[in-house]
Amino acid sequence: MITGAHEVPAVRRPGPPPPEEPGGPLLTSRGTVLLTVMAAWTAVPSVVASPKLNWLITLLLLALVANALWWHGARLRPSGPVALVAVLLLCGTLSVAHFGTLADLATAASAALLLLGCAVLAASAGPADVRRFSRGVMAIAVVQLVAATASALLGTPAPWGYLGAAGSTFEVNQLLPELGGRATGTMAHPIPFGTLMAVSVLLALSPVLRWPLTLRLLAAAGGAFGVVLSGSRSAALALLVAVFVAALVPGALRVQPVARTVVLLGAVVALLTVEVGSLRVVTSLQGTGSLTHRLGALDAAERLAERPLAQTLLGSGTGSLRDLFDAGLLQLDGFFAVDNQFVATFATAGLVGALALIGLVAAGLLHGHRATRPAALLMVAMFLSFDVLEWTATAVLTVVLLTLGTGRGLPEQDAARPSTGAAPIAPDQAVLR
């Protein structure tokens, strides 16, 4: 033995990962938990499920999210977008406590806690979580596409119909009338289904999946076909806008500078040569209440501003839209949907909630995960024509996309399990990968 020699500290060397703890990473992986919440509400839309089934699913998902939050503990990082989500949800919930019943408060509070928990998990997500969630959304989209194709081409009844009404397809598909009606997948409405399919297109075109080019192009084509099956002009337009913007933003899509130039020039040529007013997607709006109803939301905002000060600031509470329609404060054309998320938020969460939503949009698009920003942009574009946050599946998808990675979570290898206290690798012993 040589006395006085310095002890060499133990180092953690590359090798197989330590064994998983029971109920650990698989059930608490942020990407897996977020994907489970998303999958549950696409399979069982909250708007058509019975109250008991809704409560059962909500409580199970709350337990799953709470377990993941507890597991990651100190690894969770606060972020501005998460704080804005909390303000938005708090306004609607506080208003329910004042204007609604105890049952209304319990429903609103449980939904708010679930969304807020998802936002916290998404904010601290690492690269593996983002990739796992994105691939999972693609898998959900495939399931939806299969269900919709079976309904549109084979006449198979849609699992939840249209808002609970039985059938295979519904109304007229204005994007491709030859298909007949509009498909809903398992989401009970064409627009949420079309929105999910549009998101899948953008995820397929982004670098987040790390799939071969051929597979990504096939996935994007399948998603685009799903949008057509939905017959949603709103989703189709939002997809075009998101693709165009993303193609011009470096890093958002795998597009070379030359291709960006071609896209920009192509758009300019199209605007100069194509008569937009003659396109079927535009002419089909004539004589329908679709466009006038959405424009009517702007007039409704003026009437909502005339409510008492407390309701103007904090809203009338989550779930109060039907009461506001009955009171004549929203559109008066007989359609019981606002079809404008900003106005709907002003109605339920007041001016404070609406400003929080605007701040969330700005922060999420500026500081969110770069590869998923195009999908987040699409969800924001849908705010102008659909009540995105009134549907649990699209609400979860929106909150996750706008908060994903904004908390600057720990590096991927450190976020997989609780710290074991092993000494770090010395700089001169680090392995380059």
Side-chain angles (χ1 to χ4, degrees):
M1 175 181 293
I2 302 176
T3 59
H6 294 288
E7 283 190 22
V8 178
V11 296
R12 186 172 58 219
R13 298 183 181 279
E20 307 278 7
E21 294 184 12
L26 179 61
L27 295 180
T28 60
S29 162
R30 284 164 287 208
T32 302
V33 171
L34 294 172
L35 181 61
T36 301
V37 176
M38 179 72 192
W41 292 121
T42 54
V44 185
S46 57
V47 296
V48 295
S50 66
K52 289 184 178 179
L53 182 56
N54 268 322
W55 269 111
L56 176 61
I57 295 174
T58 300
L59 292 177
L60 290 175
L61 293 177
L62 274 173
L64 183 66
V65 170
N67 183 47
L69 292 172
W70 173 83
W71 176 267
H72 291 285
R75 294 170 184 76
L76 301 176
R77 296 291 184 267
S79 74
V82 171
L84 291 169
V85 170
V87 172
L88 169 62
L89 297 173
L90 182 61
C91 289
T93 305
L94 285 176
S95 297
V96 172
H98 184 71
F99 299 106
T101 65
L102 185 60
D104 294 334
L105 177 60
T107 301
S110 61
L113 287 174
L114 183 61
L115 284 177
L116 183 58
C118 289
V120 174
L121 290 175
S124 60
D129 296 309
V130 175
R131 186 163 55 253
R132 185 177 296 114
F133 176 75
S134 300
R135 289 177 174 177
V137 170
M138 298 300 297
I140 294 173
V142 169
V143 173
Q144 294 298 322
L145 181 60
V146 170
T149 302
S151 297
L153 303 184
L154 303 179
T156 304
W160 296 97
Y162 178 83
L163 295 177
S168 53
T169 58
F170 309 88
E171 300 177 341
V172 177
N173 189 325
Q174 298 292 353
L175 292 180
L176 190 61
E178 290 76 10
L179 287 175
R182 305 170 66 182
T184 62
T186 69
M187 300 184 71
H189 196 286
I191 298 182
F193 163 67
T195 302
L196 175 62
M197 300 311 298
V199 166
S200 73
V201 174
L202 293 168
L203 291 179
L205 295 177
S206 78
V208 69
L209 298 177
R210 294 187 181 178
W211 285 351
L213 178 60
T214 302
L215 181 58
R216 290 170 50 230
L217 291 178
L218 285 174
F225 180 60
V227 174
V228 173
L229 289 177
S230 75
S232 173
R233 293 163 291 195
S234 299
L237 180 59
L239 177 59
L240 290 176
V241 171
V243 168
F244 176 72
V245 173
L248 300 182
V249 176
L253 301 179
R254 287 182 173 176
V255 178
Q256 298 298 324
V258 174
R260 290 194 185 94
T261 304
V262 171
V263 169
L264 182 59
L265 291 177
V268 172
V269 171
L271 290 175
L272 293 176
T273 58
V274 176
E275 187 177 349
V276 178
S278 63
L279 297 177
R280 177 172 182 80
V281 69
V282 177
T283 58
S284 63
L285 292 171
Q286 299 175 1
T288 69
S290 180
L291 182 60
T292 56
H293 178 75
R294 287 169 169 82
L295 293 176
L298 303 179
D299 294 330
E302 298 181 5
R303 295 192 293 272
L304 291 170
E306 298 174 356
R307 291 175 294 176
L309 181 61
Q311 292 190 53
T312 300
L313 291 177
L314 299 178
S316 300
T318 304
S320 63
L321 289 180
R322 185 56 185 263
D323 293 335
L324 294 173
F325 274 110
D326 294 339
L329 294 176
L330 293 172
Q331 292 100 316
L332 305 174
D333 53 10
F335 293 100
F336 297 106
V338 182
D339 285 336
N340 185 307
Q341 186 55 60
F342 294 108
V343 176
T345 300
F346 181 39
T348 58
L351 181 61
V352 176
L355 291 176
L357 179 61
I358 294 172
L360 171 63
V361 167
L365 293 180
L366 290 175
H367 303 295
H369 194 280
R370 175 175 290 185
T372 57
R373 282 184 206 169
L377 175 62
L378 182 139
M379 299 304 297
V380 172
M382 291 299 297
F383 281 10
L384 300 177
S385 60
F386 186 63
D387 301 335
V388 176
L389 301 184
E390 296 299 313
W391 290 70
T392 311
T394 51
V396 170
L397 185 58
T398 301
V399 167
V400 170
L401 290 175
L402 287 176
T403 58
L404 205 55
T406 57
R408 302 180 184 275
L410 294 179
E412 191 172 344
Q413 63 270 24
D414 295 333
R417 58 182 290 110
S419 175
T420 60
I425 300 175
D428 59 340
Q429 296 167 321
V431 178
L432 298 179
R433 297 184 180 180

